[in-house]
mmCIF file of all heavy atoms in Angstrom:
data_model
loop_
_atom_site.group_PDB
_atom_site.id
_atom_site.type_symbol
_atom_site.label_atom_id
_atom_site.label_comp_id
_atom_site.label_asym_id
_atom_site.label_seq_id
_atom_site.Cartn_x
_atom_site.Cartn_y
_atom_site.Cartn_z
ATOM 1 N N ASN A 1 -28.402 11.713 -33.938
ATOM 2 C CA ASN A 1 -28.574 10.387 -34.644
ATOM 3 C C ASN A 1 -27.717 10.418 -35.884
ATOM 4 O O ASN A 1 -27.662 9.345 -36.583
ATOM 5 C CB ASN A 1 -29.962 10.094 -34.945
ATOM 6 C CG ASN A 1 -30.592 11.063 -35.884
ATOM 7 O OD1 ASN A 1 -29.919 12.083 -36.392
ATOM 8 N ND2 ASN A 1 -31.906 10.812 -36.275
ATOM 9 N N LYS A 2 -27.000 11.525 -36.195
ATOM 10 C CA LYS A 2 -26.080 11.635 -37.416
ATOM 11 C C LYS A 2 -26.883 11.437 -38.748
ATOM 12 O O LYS A 2 -26.255 11.209 -39.731
ATOM 13 C CB LYS A 2 -24.995 10.592 -37.303
ATOM 14 C CG LYS A 2 -24.119 10.790 -36.060
ATOM 15 C CD LYS A 2 -23.341 12.031 -36.026
ATOM 16 C CE LYS A 2 -22.396 12.111 -34.836
ATOM 17 N NZ LYS A 2 -21.618 13.387 -34.811
ATOM 18 N N ALA A 3 -28.182 11.604 -38.694
ATOM 19 C CA ALA A 3 -28.920 11.458 -39.986
ATOM 20 C C ALA A 3 -28.609 12.497 -41.007
ATOM 21 O O ALA A 3 -28.335 13.695 -40.589
ATOM 22 C CB ALA A 3 -30.425 11.412 -39.687
ATOM 23 N N VAL A 4 -28.710 12.212 -42.225
ATOM 24 C CA VAL A 4 -28.594 13.119 -43.341
ATOM 25 C C VAL A 4 -30.050 13.344 -43.866
ATOM 26 O O VAL A 4 -30.768 12.378 -44.066
ATOM 27 C CB VAL A 4 -27.699 12.597 -44.471
ATOM 28 C CG1 VAL A 4 -27.798 13.404 -45.748
ATOM 29 C CG2 VAL A 4 -26.222 12.545 -44.016
ATOM 30 N N VAL A 5 -30.391 14.577 -44.065
ATOM 31 C CA VAL A 5 -31.718 14.856 -44.614
ATOM 32 C C VAL A 5 -31.641 14.946 -46.137
ATOM 33 O O VAL A 5 -30.859 15.753 -46.700
ATOM 34 C CB VAL A 5 -32.216 16.226 -44.042
ATOM 35 C CG1 VAL A 5 -33.605 16.615 -44.637
ATOM 36 C CG2 VAL A 5 -32.250 16.214 -42.524
ATOM 37 N N VAL A 6 -32.428 14.168 -46.800
ATOM 38 C CA VAL A 6 -32.562 14.124 -48.242
ATOM 39 C C VAL A 6 -33.845 14.929 -48.566
ATOM 40 O O VAL A 6 -34.900 14.534 -48.176
ATOM 41 C CB VAL A 6 -32.574 12.768 -48.866
ATOM 42 C CG1 VAL A 6 -32.711 12.805 -50.362
ATOM 43 C CG2 VAL A 6 -31.325 12.003 -48.519
ATOM 44 N N GLU A 7 -33.645 16.042 -49.289
ATOM 45 C CA GLU A 7 -34.769 16.939 -49.608
ATOM 46 C C GLU A 7 -35.378 16.608 -50.972
ATOM 47 O O GLU A 7 -34.575 16.463 -51.896
ATOM 48 C CB GLU A 7 -34.365 18.373 -49.538
ATOM 49 C CG GLU A 7 -33.696 18.836 -48.235
ATOM 50 C CD GLU A 7 -33.123 20.154 -48.307
ATOM 51 O OE1 GLU A 7 -32.325 20.438 -49.257
ATOM 52 O OE2 GLU A 7 -33.417 20.992 -47.462
ATOM 53 N N HIS A 8 -36.679 16.641 -51.121
ATOM 54 C CA HIS A 8 -37.330 16.401 -52.405
ATOM 55 C C HIS A 8 -38.340 17.477 -52.636
ATOM 56 O O HIS A 8 -38.820 18.201 -51.741
ATOM 57 C CB HIS A 8 -37.935 15.026 -52.424
ATOM 58 C CG HIS A 8 -39.044 14.817 -51.401
ATOM 59 N ND1 HIS A 8 -40.353 15.204 -51.573
ATOM 60 C CD2 HIS A 8 -38.999 14.311 -50.140
ATOM 61 C CE1 HIS A 8 -41.038 14.962 -50.507
ATOM 62 N NE2 HIS A 8 -40.232 14.417 -49.608
ATOM 63 N N ASP A 9 -38.740 17.588 -53.872
ATOM 64 C CA ASP A 9 -39.676 18.565 -54.370
ATOM 65 C C ASP A 9 -41.178 18.181 -54.086
ATOM 66 O O ASP A 9 -41.470 16.983 -54.209
ATOM 67 C CB ASP A 9 -39.515 18.739 -55.866
ATOM 68 C CG ASP A 9 -40.227 19.965 -56.471
ATOM 69 O OD1 ASP A 9 -40.793 20.690 -55.692
ATOM 70 O OD2 ASP A 9 -40.266 20.051 -57.732
ATOM 71 N N LYS A 10 -41.983 19.111 -53.522
ATOM 72 C CA LYS A 10 -43.355 18.757 -53.342
ATOM 73 C C LYS A 10 -44.139 20.122 -53.278
ATOM 74 O O LYS A 10 -43.840 20.958 -52.462
ATOM 75 C CB LYS A 10 -43.511 17.999 -51.998
ATOM 76 C CG LYS A 10 -44.953 17.586 -51.735
ATOM 77 C CD LYS A 10 -45.050 16.875 -50.421
ATOM 78 C CE LYS A 10 -46.514 16.387 -50.193
ATOM 79 N NZ LYS A 10 -46.643 15.700 -48.857
ATOM 80 N N ASN A 11 -45.099 20.264 -54.191
ATOM 81 C CA ASN A 11 -46.033 21.320 -54.180
ATOM 82 C C ASN A 11 -45.358 22.773 -54.243
ATOM 83 O O ASN A 11 -45.774 23.676 -53.506
ATOM 84 C CB ASN A 11 -46.896 21.266 -52.918
ATOM 85 C CG ASN A 11 -47.677 19.986 -52.803
ATOM 86 O OD1 ASN A 11 -48.132 19.443 -53.799
ATOM 87 N ND2 ASN A 11 -47.974 19.540 -51.586
ATOM 88 N N ASN A 12 -44.416 22.843 -55.184
ATOM 89 C CA ASN A 12 -43.836 24.201 -55.377
ATOM 90 C C ASN A 12 -44.411 24.811 -56.659
ATOM 91 O O ASN A 12 -45.509 24.559 -56.950
ATOM 92 C CB ASN A 12 -42.350 24.016 -55.360
ATOM 93 C CG ASN A 12 -41.721 23.784 -53.977
ATOM 94 O OD1 ASN A 12 -41.833 24.667 -53.111
ATOM 95 N ND2 ASN A 12 -41.273 22.583 -53.723
ATOM 96 N N ILE A 13 -43.601 25.522 -57.388
ATOM 97 C CA ILE A 13 -44.105 26.306 -58.496
ATOM 98 C C ILE A 13 -44.616 25.294 -59.660
ATOM 99 O O ILE A 13 -45.681 25.545 -60.218
ATOM 100 C CB ILE A 13 -43.046 27.179 -59.104
ATOM 101 C CG1 ILE A 13 -42.582 28.218 -58.022
ATOM 102 C CG2 ILE A 13 -43.514 27.903 -60.388
ATOM 103 C CD1 ILE A 13 -43.663 29.167 -57.600
ATOM 104 N N THR A 14 -43.847 24.308 -59.889
ATOM 105 C CA THR A 14 -44.192 23.362 -60.966
ATOM 106 C C THR A 14 -44.502 21.977 -60.421
ATOM 107 O O THR A 14 -43.534 21.289 -59.977
ATOM 108 C CB THR A 14 -43.057 23.270 -62.031
ATOM 109 O OG1 THR A 14 -42.733 24.578 -62.441
ATOM 110 C CG2 THR A 14 -43.415 22.503 -63.185
ATOM 111 N N PRO A 15 -45.719 21.559 -60.415
ATOM 112 C CA PRO A 15 -46.062 20.247 -59.817
ATOM 113 C C PRO A 15 -45.589 19.068 -60.630
ATOM 114 O O PRO A 15 -45.449 17.947 -60.077
ATOM 115 C CB PRO A 15 -47.546 20.320 -59.613
ATOM 116 C CG PRO A 15 -48.027 21.255 -60.714
ATOM 117 C CD PRO A 15 -46.995 22.272 -60.855
ATOM 118 N N ASN A 16 -45.356 19.245 -61.902
ATOM 119 C CA ASN A 16 -45.100 18.163 -62.777
ATOM 120 C C ASN A 16 -43.733 17.413 -62.508
ATOM 121 O O ASN A 16 -43.410 16.380 -62.951
ATOM 122 C CB ASN A 16 -45.114 18.507 -64.218
ATOM 123 C CG ASN A 16 -46.495 18.839 -64.668
ATOM 124 O OD1 ASN A 16 -47.521 18.501 -64.054
ATOM 125 N ND2 ASN A 16 -46.687 19.677 -65.780
ATOM 126 N N ASN A 17 -42.849 18.141 -61.748
ATOM 127 C CA ASN A 17 -41.560 17.570 -61.498
ATOM 128 C C ASN A 17 -41.394 16.874 -60.158
ATOM 129 O O ASN A 17 -40.375 16.405 -59.761
ATOM 130 C CB ASN A 17 -40.408 18.637 -61.674
ATOM 131 C CG ASN A 17 -40.723 19.981 -60.931
ATOM 132 O OD1 ASN A 17 -41.643 20.007 -60.106
ATOM 133 N ND2 ASN A 17 -39.980 20.971 -61.302
ATOM 134 N N ASP A 18 -42.451 16.895 -59.384
ATOM 135 C CA ASP A 18 -42.422 16.298 -58.053
ATOM 136 C C ASP A 18 -42.190 14.867 -58.040
ATOM 137 O O ASP A 18 -41.292 14.360 -57.283
ATOM 138 C CB ASP A 18 -43.788 16.596 -57.325
ATOM 139 C CG ASP A 18 -44.101 17.965 -56.893
ATOM 140 O OD1 ASP A 18 -43.286 18.832 -57.234
ATOM 141 O OD2 ASP A 18 -45.107 18.160 -56.217
ATOM 142 N N GLN A 19 -42.763 14.128 -58.870
ATOM 143 C CA GLN A 19 -42.653 12.657 -58.931
ATOM 144 C C GLN A 19 -41.200 12.248 -59.195
ATOM 145 O O GLN A 19 -40.575 11.379 -58.507
ATOM 146 C CB GLN A 19 -43.610 12.003 -59.875
ATOM 147 C CG GLN A 19 -43.530 10.506 -59.891
ATOM 148 C CD GLN A 19 -44.625 9.882 -60.719
ATOM 149 O OE1 GLN A 19 -45.358 10.546 -61.424
ATOM 150 N NE2 GLN A 19 -44.754 8.537 -60.728
ATOM 151 N N ALA A 20 -40.567 12.904 -60.182
ATOM 152 C CA ALA A 20 -39.172 12.578 -60.587
ATOM 153 C C ALA A 20 -38.259 12.990 -59.447
ATOM 154 O O ALA A 20 -37.268 12.208 -59.164
ATOM 155 C CB ALA A 20 -38.798 13.264 -61.887
ATOM 156 N N SER A 21 -38.487 14.066 -58.797
ATOM 157 C CA SER A 21 -37.637 14.542 -57.629
ATOM 158 C C SER A 21 -37.701 13.520 -56.525
ATOM 159 O O SER A 21 -36.637 13.085 -55.962
ATOM 160 C CB SER A 21 -38.115 15.878 -57.157
ATOM 161 O OG SER A 21 -37.471 16.211 -55.949
ATOM 162 N N GLN A 22 -38.888 13.047 -56.235
ATOM 163 C CA GLN A 22 -39.029 12.089 -55.164
ATOM 164 C C GLN A 22 -38.408 10.763 -55.480
ATOM 165 O O GLN A 22 -37.852 10.091 -54.683
ATOM 166 C CB GLN A 22 -40.512 11.958 -54.771
ATOM 167 C CG GLN A 22 -41.078 13.233 -54.153
ATOM 168 C CD GLN A 22 -42.571 13.156 -53.805
ATOM 169 O OE1 GLN A 22 -43.061 12.055 -53.406
ATOM 170 N NE2 GLN A 22 -43.308 14.195 -54.063
ATOM 171 N N PHE A 23 -38.537 10.440 -56.732
ATOM 172 C CA PHE A 23 -37.889 9.107 -57.179
ATOM 173 C C PHE A 23 -36.344 9.178 -57.007
ATOM 174 O O PHE A 23 -35.755 8.248 -56.442
ATOM 175 C CB PHE A 23 -38.213 8.840 -58.640
ATOM 176 C CG PHE A 23 -37.479 7.685 -59.210
ATOM 177 C CD1 PHE A 23 -37.844 6.415 -58.907
ATOM 178 C CD2 PHE A 23 -36.423 7.871 -60.120
ATOM 179 C CE1 PHE A 23 -37.093 5.285 -59.419
ATOM 180 C CE2 PHE A 23 -35.678 6.814 -60.573
ATOM 181 C CZ PHE A 23 -36.031 5.577 -60.273
ATOM 182 N N PHE A 24 -35.728 10.188 -57.491
ATOM 183 C CA PHE A 24 -34.213 10.286 -57.342
ATOM 184 C C PHE A 24 -33.845 10.457 -55.866
ATOM 185 O O PHE A 24 -32.899 9.800 -55.396
ATOM 186 C CB PHE A 24 -33.675 11.469 -58.152
ATOM 187 C CG PHE A 24 -33.641 11.199 -59.628
ATOM 188 C CD1 PHE A 24 -34.339 11.881 -60.522
ATOM 189 C CD2 PHE A 24 -32.792 10.158 -60.105
ATOM 190 C CE1 PHE A 24 -34.273 11.643 -61.937
ATOM 191 C CE2 PHE A 24 -32.693 9.899 -61.497
ATOM 192 C CZ PHE A 24 -33.417 10.609 -62.369
ATOM 193 N N ALA A 25 -34.547 11.200 -55.153
ATOM 194 C CA ALA A 25 -34.307 11.414 -53.667
ATOM 195 C C ALA A 25 -34.277 10.066 -52.953
ATOM 196 O O ALA A 25 -33.444 9.788 -52.126
ATOM 197 C CB ALA A 25 -35.203 12.475 -53.057
ATOM 198 N N GLU A 26 -35.382 9.403 -53.236
ATOM 199 C CA GLU A 26 -35.516 8.072 -52.575
ATOM 200 C C GLU A 26 -34.538 7.019 -53.002
ATOM 201 O O GLU A 26 -34.115 6.228 -52.145
ATOM 202 C CB GLU A 26 -36.956 7.570 -52.767
ATOM 203 C CG GLU A 26 -38.075 8.312 -52.108
ATOM 204 C CD GLU A 26 -39.477 7.683 -52.287
ATOM 205 O OE1 GLU A 26 -39.540 6.594 -52.926
ATOM 206 O OE2 GLU A 26 -40.420 8.248 -51.793
ATOM 207 N N THR A 27 -34.151 7.032 -54.253
ATOM 208 C CA THR A 27 -33.162 6.135 -54.761
ATOM 209 C C THR A 27 -31.825 6.347 -54.030
ATOM 210 O O THR A 27 -31.204 5.446 -53.536
ATOM 211 C CB THR A 27 -33.034 6.227 -56.259
ATOM 212 O OG1 THR A 27 -34.296 5.968 -56.891
ATOM 213 C CG2 THR A 27 -31.968 5.281 -56.800
ATOM 214 N N VAL A 28 -31.404 7.630 -53.999
ATOM 215 C CA VAL A 28 -30.282 8.036 -53.397
ATOM 216 C C VAL A 28 -30.221 7.725 -51.872
ATOM 217 O O VAL A 28 -29.253 7.186 -51.292
ATOM 218 C CB VAL A 28 -29.853 9.536 -53.548
ATOM 219 C CG1 VAL A 28 -28.667 9.947 -52.712
ATOM 220 C CG2 VAL A 28 -29.518 9.711 -55.064
ATOM 221 N N ALA A 29 -31.366 7.976 -51.240
ATOM 222 C CA ALA A 29 -31.542 7.704 -49.791
ATOM 223 C C ALA A 29 -31.433 6.188 -49.542
ATOM 224 O O ALA A 29 -30.829 5.818 -48.540
ATOM 225 C CB ALA A 29 -32.913 8.243 -49.405
ATOM 226 N N GLN A 30 -32.012 5.380 -50.398
ATOM 227 C CA GLN A 30 -32.014 3.941 -50.199
ATOM 228 C C GLN A 30 -30.530 3.428 -50.283
ATOM 229 O O GLN A 30 -30.159 2.642 -49.459
ATOM 230 C CB GLN A 30 -32.816 3.259 -51.287
ATOM 231 C CG GLN A 30 -32.643 1.767 -51.399
ATOM 232 C CD GLN A 30 -33.161 0.961 -50.170
ATOM 233 O OE1 GLN A 30 -33.772 1.548 -49.265
ATOM 234 N NE2 GLN A 30 -32.846 -0.331 -50.089
ATOM 235 N N VAL A 31 -29.784 3.875 -51.183
ATOM 236 C CA VAL A 31 -28.277 3.477 -51.327
ATOM 237 C C VAL A 31 -27.581 3.940 -50.056
ATOM 238 O O VAL A 31 -26.779 3.222 -49.492
ATOM 239 C CB VAL A 31 -27.703 4.008 -52.653
ATOM 240 C CG1 VAL A 31 -26.229 3.675 -52.626
ATOM 241 C CG2 VAL A 31 -28.363 3.383 -53.811
ATOM 242 N N ALA A 32 -27.781 5.168 -49.670
ATOM 243 C CA ALA A 32 -27.072 5.769 -48.499
ATOM 244 C C ALA A 32 -27.404 4.931 -47.234
ATOM 245 O O ALA A 32 -26.498 4.581 -46.481
ATOM 246 C CB ALA A 32 -27.457 7.175 -48.346
ATOM 247 N N GLN A 33 -28.648 4.642 -46.994
ATOM 248 C CA GLN A 33 -29.079 4.034 -45.761
ATOM 249 C C GLN A 33 -28.742 2.576 -45.768
ATOM 250 O O GLN A 33 -28.245 2.003 -44.722
ATOM 251 C CB GLN A 33 -30.559 4.231 -45.529
ATOM 252 C CG GLN A 33 -31.061 3.761 -44.205
ATOM 253 C CD GLN A 33 -32.400 4.386 -43.867
ATOM 254 O OE1 GLN A 33 -32.561 5.455 -43.352
ATOM 255 N NE2 GLN A 33 -33.493 3.587 -44.157
ATOM 256 N N ASN A 34 -28.919 1.835 -46.863
ATOM 257 C CA ASN A 34 -28.779 0.392 -46.849
ATOM 258 C C ASN A 34 -27.378 -0.090 -47.243
ATOM 259 O O ASN A 34 -27.015 -1.245 -46.862
ATOM 260 C CB ASN A 34 -29.781 -0.274 -47.753
ATOM 261 C CG ASN A 34 -31.238 -0.293 -47.065
ATOM 262 O OD1 ASN A 34 -31.476 0.521 -46.176
ATOM 263 N ND2 ASN A 34 -32.011 -1.283 -47.411
ATOM 264 N N GLN A 35 -26.668 0.730 -48.052
ATOM 265 C CA GLN A 35 -25.366 0.230 -48.474
ATOM 266 C C GLN A 35 -24.199 1.062 -47.924
ATOM 267 O O GLN A 35 -23.155 0.483 -47.778
ATOM 268 C CB GLN A 35 -25.361 0.265 -50.044
ATOM 269 C CG GLN A 35 -26.395 -0.624 -50.612
ATOM 270 C CD GLN A 35 -26.280 -0.703 -52.147
ATOM 271 O OE1 GLN A 35 -25.185 -0.872 -52.650
ATOM 272 N NE2 GLN A 35 -27.426 -0.620 -52.914
ATOM 273 N N LEU A 36 -24.427 2.287 -47.639
ATOM 274 C CA LEU A 36 -23.360 3.140 -46.924
ATOM 275 C C LEU A 36 -23.626 3.175 -45.440
ATOM 276 O O LEU A 36 -22.811 3.771 -44.690
ATOM 277 C CB LEU A 36 -23.386 4.598 -47.539
ATOM 278 C CG LEU A 36 -22.982 4.693 -48.956
ATOM 279 C CD1 LEU A 36 -23.227 6.080 -49.523
ATOM 280 C CD2 LEU A 36 -21.463 4.268 -49.217
ATOM 281 N N ASN A 37 -24.726 2.636 -44.968
ATOM 282 C CA ASN A 37 -25.041 2.657 -43.561
ATOM 283 C C ASN A 37 -25.103 4.008 -42.914
ATOM 284 O O ASN A 37 -24.588 4.212 -41.789
ATOM 285 C CB ASN A 37 -24.005 1.717 -42.839
ATOM 286 C CG ASN A 37 -24.029 0.275 -43.344
ATOM 287 O OD1 ASN A 37 -25.120 -0.278 -43.441
ATOM 288 N ND2 ASN A 37 -22.860 -0.308 -43.594
ATOM 289 N N ILE A 38 -25.693 4.872 -43.615
ATOM 290 C CA ILE A 38 -25.871 6.296 -43.198
ATOM 291 C C ILE A 38 -27.361 6.562 -42.961
ATOM 292 O O ILE A 38 -28.147 6.381 -43.836
ATOM 293 C CB ILE A 38 -25.372 7.280 -44.164
ATOM 294 C CG1 ILE A 38 -23.823 7.098 -44.369
ATOM 295 C CG2 ILE A 38 -25.587 8.740 -43.744
ATOM 296 C CD1 ILE A 38 -23.263 7.893 -45.669
ATOM 297 N N PRO A 39 -27.770 6.925 -41.727
ATOM 298 C CA PRO A 39 -29.247 7.080 -41.421
ATOM 299 C C PRO A 39 -29.720 8.280 -42.265
ATOM 300 O O PRO A 39 -29.046 9.305 -42.419
ATOM 301 C CB PRO A 39 -29.250 7.362 -39.966
ATOM 302 C CG PRO A 39 -27.838 7.792 -39.586
ATOM 303 C CD PRO A 39 -26.990 7.118 -40.501
ATOM 304 N N ILE A 40 -30.932 8.197 -42.733
ATOM 305 C CA ILE A 40 -31.553 9.129 -43.644
ATOM 306 C C ILE A 40 -32.926 9.586 -43.074
ATOM 307 O O ILE A 40 -33.690 8.813 -42.532
ATOM 308 C CB ILE A 40 -31.728 8.512 -45.037
ATOM 309 C CG1 ILE A 40 -30.307 8.181 -45.662
ATOM 310 C CG2 ILE A 40 -32.518 9.454 -45.949
ATOM 311 C CD1 ILE A 40 -29.467 9.370 -45.900
ATOM 312 N N GLU A 41 -33.184 10.895 -43.220
ATOM 313 C CA GLU A 41 -34.476 11.421 -43.020
ATOM 314 C C GLU A 41 -34.857 12.190 -44.319
ATOM 315 O O GLU A 41 -33.996 12.496 -45.116
ATOM 316 C CB GLU A 41 -34.506 12.397 -41.882
ATOM 317 C CG GLU A 41 -34.238 11.719 -40.526
ATOM 318 C CD GLU A 41 -34.125 12.648 -39.404
ATOM 319 O OE1 GLU A 41 -34.009 13.920 -39.609
ATOM 320 O OE2 GLU A 41 -34.080 12.210 -38.175
ATOM 321 N N ARG A 42 -36.178 12.469 -44.416
ATOM 322 C CA ARG A 42 -36.657 13.104 -45.597
ATOM 323 C C ARG A 42 -37.349 14.449 -45.241
ATOM 324 O O ARG A 42 -37.931 14.558 -44.165
ATOM 325 C CB ARG A 42 -37.712 12.254 -46.323
ATOM 326 C CG ARG A 42 -37.180 10.988 -47.021
ATOM 327 C CD ARG A 42 -38.253 10.160 -47.623
ATOM 328 N NE ARG A 42 -39.136 10.948 -48.517
ATOM 329 C CZ ARG A 42 -40.256 10.480 -49.076
ATOM 330 N NH1 ARG A 42 -40.588 9.162 -48.807
ATOM 331 N NH2 ARG A 42 -40.954 11.147 -49.881
ATOM 332 N N ALA A 43 -37.284 15.471 -46.145
ATOM 333 C CA ALA A 43 -38.026 16.692 -45.950
ATOM 334 C C ALA A 43 -38.153 17.292 -47.355
ATOM 335 O O ALA A 43 -37.677 16.762 -48.393
ATOM 336 C CB ALA A 43 -37.119 17.597 -45.075
ATOM 337 N N GLU A 44 -38.815 18.481 -47.409
ATOM 338 C CA GLU A 44 -39.063 19.103 -48.629
ATOM 339 C C GLU A 44 -38.079 20.185 -48.970
ATOM 340 O O GLU A 44 -37.499 20.732 -48.090
ATOM 341 C CB GLU A 44 -40.480 19.678 -48.586
ATOM 342 C CG GLU A 44 -41.609 18.714 -48.477
ATOM 343 C CD GLU A 44 -42.959 19.311 -48.147
ATOM 344 O OE1 GLU A 44 -43.114 20.557 -48.475
ATOM 345 O OE2 GLU A 44 -43.792 18.643 -47.565
#
């Protein structure tokens, strides 16, 4: 399917940075999928 996997932080050493990681990962994923027309999947 030619998808690109965008990885984000979740439940690692420092939990306080999870939310910011997921925000940036999702923002980049949204631009890639909707404006660059590149299919996206998520993982940790």
